[in-house]
Amino acid sequence: MEDAKKLSNPQVTIETIKKYRFAFQKRFGQNFLIDGHVIDKIISAAEITKKDTVVEIGPGIGTMTQYLAENAGRVYAVEIDKNLIPILEDTLSEYDNVQIINQDILKTDIAQLAGDGRIKITANLPYYITTPIIMSIFENHVPAESVTVMVQKEVAQRMQAKPGSKEYGALSLAVQYYAEPYIVANVPPNCFIPRPNVGSAVIRLKCYDIPPVKVSDEKLMFDIIRASFNQRRKTLQNGIKNFSELDFSGEQVKSALLEMGLPENVRGETLSLEQFAELSDLLAKHRVL
Ligand code: SAM
């Protein structure tokens, strides 16, 4: 399709919205892209080729989907809003490699779409559920090669943050356990209709085959991480001791920290992923003693 006829041309998007009298739904986080350069950056960061099967989360009216259809082998476009389905059937009618699925992505078996291979996931994500979507992809061990998505700029910074920075937290650790994050580009509000109130960024998460740290009990480590960042100004020892889903005494945490050569009043925001894995393994040992 000629670029001028694509939905990335703002005029085409406006005409399509008018034609279908489409009403934007705030509750679905609908901000449609109207900038082809941004979409090109997503496609090239995700290294999409004809060999790839791509799952697009929330295609909207199909703006990025048109580019994906032209560059990928197969595209599954999962959209929750049933009012968008007839529009997608129209805007994607000339592509025979796209399947539109009217479903909530959080209730979709993405792994099944992958078949025997690995998929690439792309999206201009609905910002109200960014973290649940990313975490469900990782925690369900979806066979994804990479996840290249538009998110709120501040969320992209949190995903990429290193220990000691103010953006560092449970999301940084979770993302960095499963993938290597890389911020591809910052994207201003005028690249969308309607304009969001916040800045956005494209981030690529390259999924690891094997996590970068070894830990005996993944769930325990993530509970410890959540406990540590639950009350930010508390020491790690108090955070873990007071976290209802964990059953460790202050003394047990203190002795594990000492064994790691850390002060007993250390705060979670200074610990690296490797240190959380070590702490988790030491506490797991205490639990079985
Ligand atoms: N990809 C389009 C674009 O860039 O123009 C639309 C992006 S818009 C930020 C987010 C899209 O996700 C909307 O189309 C919205 O209806 C859809 N969406 C919201 N929640 C969803 C969910 N739980 N499952 C699938 N799609 C969802």
Side-chain angles (χ1 to χ4, degrees), residues 64 120 218:
M64 182 161 36
K120 289 182 176 169
E218 254 178 37

Side-chain angles (χ1 to χ4, degrees), residues 109-121:
D109 185 352
I110 308 178
Q112 184 244 323
L113 297 177
D116 295 333
R118 288 177 87 194
I119 48 162
K120 289 182 176 169
I121 297 178

